[in-house]
Amino acid sequence: YGFADASGTYKYDSATTTPAWTQVNTDSVANISATVAYNGNFYACGVDWGGIRTFDTNSYTWTLISGSPANSCRSLAVYDNKLYAGIDGSGGSNAQVYVYDGTSWTSAYQLPIRQQNEVDPQIRTMVVYNNKLYAGSYGATYEGNNCVSGGGNLYVYNGTSWSNLSQNSCIASSVGATTGFTGSVVFQNKLFTTQGVVDGSNYSASENFCDTSCAVYNNKLYTIKSDFTVYVYDGYIQIQQGKLTESDNRFATLAVYNDKLYGGAYLYTPGPGGGGETGTRSVYVYEDTYTGGDLISQSGSVTSQLIVPLEVGSWDRVVTSNNLNNQTITYQVLDSSGVLIPDAVLPGNAAGFSASNTSTTIDLYTLSGTAYPTLKIRANLSTSLVTSTPSVDSWKAYWIKAKAGDDVKDIG
C-alpha cells in the first residue's frame, strides 16, 4: 500500500496482467509517518492526526483508535507482543514512547532532559534488534547562536529499563538546523542507523547508513540521503547508486516488494509565498541485476616490479614497512615469470609470510642467485572492515654480490 498526501490510499497489485497502482480510498489522511502490522491489523500514524489509526484492507477505511495519544506520531514498532509508538513532545517537553497492549495505551518512557534546556521533541525511528527495542530521537534547540541541544540520541529498552546508548551532545552546525536519528534497519546482524552502528550491544558512531529512509534489498543496504540520492552499501563500501534525472525530483521513501526495490518520490515545486512542497508524486521501481559479488573486494594483491640485481651471488632478505590497521598482509616471493617459488626452495612461501604491524623481514638466504637471478615480491592484503584497510608503505630487497659485500634495491 502507498499513501499520497491529502489524496488518498493506493494499492499495488503485481498479479495482474499489467501491474499498476489503484486508488482505493479518498480520505484526506495526509502526512503518514509510520506503518506496521500488529495482531492482524494494519496500523499507521502521522503528523497532526490527533491519534493513531487502523486501516481496513477489505473496506479500505481508516478508524481512529480511541484513547491513542493525540500528539503527532512519527514511528511505530512491535516488541514483546505490544505496539510501541514514538509520540512528539509539546510545549518544550521531550518526546514519549507509548505502548499499546491491544486494549489501552500508556506512556512507557519520556526521553530525559539531558542538559539544561536540551529537548528531544521527536522520535523519528524505532526498531527491534537483538531482543531489544531501539528508539532514535531527533531535534536541536538553540539559545541565540549557542546550541544547547542537538543531534538526537539512540535509546534502548531491554524489556525492563531504558538507557541512552549514544550519549550525543550538541552536534548540529548552524542555527535552526535539526539533526538526529531519522532511520534504522537491521542488516548483516547489525543495527544501522543515521549516526552509528550497533553490533550486539556495542554502539559506535559512523558514517550515515540509514537516513531519510532505508531498506535491505538483495543483500545490500539502500538509503536515501539528505541530497535525495540513493546510496547502496554491501557491508564494505557505500557508493552512490542513483539519483532521479530531474533536479527537483526527490526520493522520499524506500520499500521492498516481490523481489524489487520501490522508491516513492515527489517533484518539488515551491508553494504559495515560496514555502511548502507541492508537485507530482511518483513511484519508481528498481531491479538489481548485478551479479558481480561485493561492491568492493575483501582482499587484493599487489606485485613489485622485477628486481634485477647486478652481480648477484645469493639473495639475502626482503624488508617491508607496513600498516596493518588490525587487518592482514602476507608476502610471497615469485620468479621472473610471476610463478610462486616452491616451498622446497623457500619454506613457507606457499602460505605466505605474515606481516607484523610496522616492519617485516623475509629471509631469502636459501635462494641461489644462479637459479633465481631476478625476483618479484607479492603482497596479499585483506580486510574485514569497510573503514579499516592495511597498506604497504615500502619494501626493499637485499642480496649478496657475486664478488664481495652486499647490495640493496628499493623496489617501491
Side-chain angles (χ1 to χ4, degrees), residues 228-294:
F228 309 104
T229 300
V230 177
Y231 284 73
V232 57
Y233 173 66
D234 69 343
Y236 306 107
I237 190 171
Q238 188 178 62
I239 63 173
Q240 181 174 314
Q241 190 271 342
K243 189 172 185 177
L244 297 178
T245 54
E246 303 93 339
S247 61
D248 289 329
N249 209 359
R250 301 176 174 183
F251 275 117
T253 186
L254 296 172
V256 177
Y257 173 69
N258 203 23
D259 295 326
K260 293 181 177 65
L261 178 66
Y262 289 82
Y266 62 93
L267 186 62
Y268 175 85
T269 55
E277 297 176 357
T278 62
T280 304
R281 274 74 170 173
S282 303
V283 176
Y284 293 81
V285 61
Y286 172 72
E287 186 171 7
D288 186 4
T289 58
Y290 177 70
T291 58
D294 299 325

Side-chain angles (χ1 to χ4, degrees), residues 207-228:
E207 62 182 291
N208 182 348
F209 287 107
C210 189
D211 200 337
T212 305
S213 179
C214 52
V216 176
Y217 168 61
N218 209 13
N219 297 318
K220 300 181 183 71
L221 173 57
Y222 290 78
T223 185
I224 301 170
K225 293 208 173 182
S226 57
D227 61 354
F228 309 104

Side-chain angles (χ1 to χ4, degrees), residues 161-242:
S161 60
W162 289 84
S163 59
N164 185 338
L165 193 63
S166 57
Q167 295 292 337
N168 282 339
S169 56
C170 292
I171 65 171
S173 58
S174 61
V175 174
T178 56
T179 58
F181 290 84
T182 56
S184 57
V185 68
V186 178
F187 174 61
Q188 295 185 346
N189 297 318
K190 299 176 183 178
L191 176 60
F192 288 82
T193 73
T194 312
Q195 296 184 16
V197 178
V198 181
D199 186 356
S201 297
N202 300 316
Y203 171 84
S204 59
S206 70
E207 62 182 291
N208 182 348
F209 287 107
C210 189
D211 200 337
T212 305
S213 179
C214 52
V216 176
Y217 168 61
N218 209 13
N219 297 318
K220 300 181 183 71
L221 173 57
Y222 290 78
T223 185
I224 301 170
K225 293 208 173 182
S226 57
D227 61 354
F228 309 104
T229 300
V230 177
Y231 284 73
V232 57
Y233 173 66
D234 69 343
Y236 306 107
I237 190 171
Q238 188 178 62
I239 63 173
Q240 181 174 314
Q241 190 271 342

Side-chain angles (χ1 to χ4, degrees), residues 327-390:
Q327 304 305 311
T328 303
I329 302 176
T330 60
Y331 292 97
Q332 293 173 306
V333 183
L334 316 175
D335 64 18
S336 59
S337 300
V339 177
L340 198 67
I341 294 176
D343 278 5
V345 179
L346 184 60
N349 195 40
F353 303 97
S354 297
S356 62
N357 193 48
T358 54
S359 179
T360 301
T361 299
I362 306 169
D363 291 324
L364 303 179
Y365 58 84
T366 60
L367 297 185
S368 164
T370 302
Y372 298 98
T374 59
L375 296 175
K376 294 180 180 180
I377 307 299
R378 181 169 65 201
N380 306 300
L381 303 91
S382 63
T383 182
S384 59
L385 297 173
V386 65
T387 56
S388 182
T389 57

Side-chain angles (χ1 to χ4, degrees), residues 13-28:
D13 188 355
S14 63
T16 59
T17 304
T18 305
W21 288 89
T22 303
Q23 187 169 3
V24 296
N25 178 283
T26 58
D27 286 352
S28 298

Side-chain angles (χ1 to χ4, degrees), residues 94 111-112 114 118-125 135-141 147-155 164-172 177-182 193-196 203:
N94 270 2
L111 304 189
R114 288 179 279 114
E118 289 198 358
V119 176
D120 287 328
Q122 300 172 5
I123 299 173
R124 288 285 187 95
T125 180
S137 65
Y138 177 95
T141 302
C147 171
V148 296
S149 172
N153 273 276
L154 185 64
Y155 296 86
N164 185 338
L165 193 63
S166 57
Q167 295 292 337
N168 282 339
S169 56
C170 292
I171 65 171
T178 56
T179 58
F181 290 84
T182 56
T193 73
T194 312
Q195 296 184 16
Y203 171 84

Side-chain angles (χ1 to χ4, degrees), residues 2-11 22-32 55 60 62 279-282:
F3 309 94
D5 286 359
S7 59
T9 305
Y10 290 77
K11 176 185 177 182
T22 303
Q23 187 169 3
V24 296
N25 178 283
T26 58
D27 286 352
S28 298
V29 177
N31 298 320
I32 293 177
F55 183 72
Y60 303 129
W62 290 96
T280 304
R281 274 74 170 173
S282 303

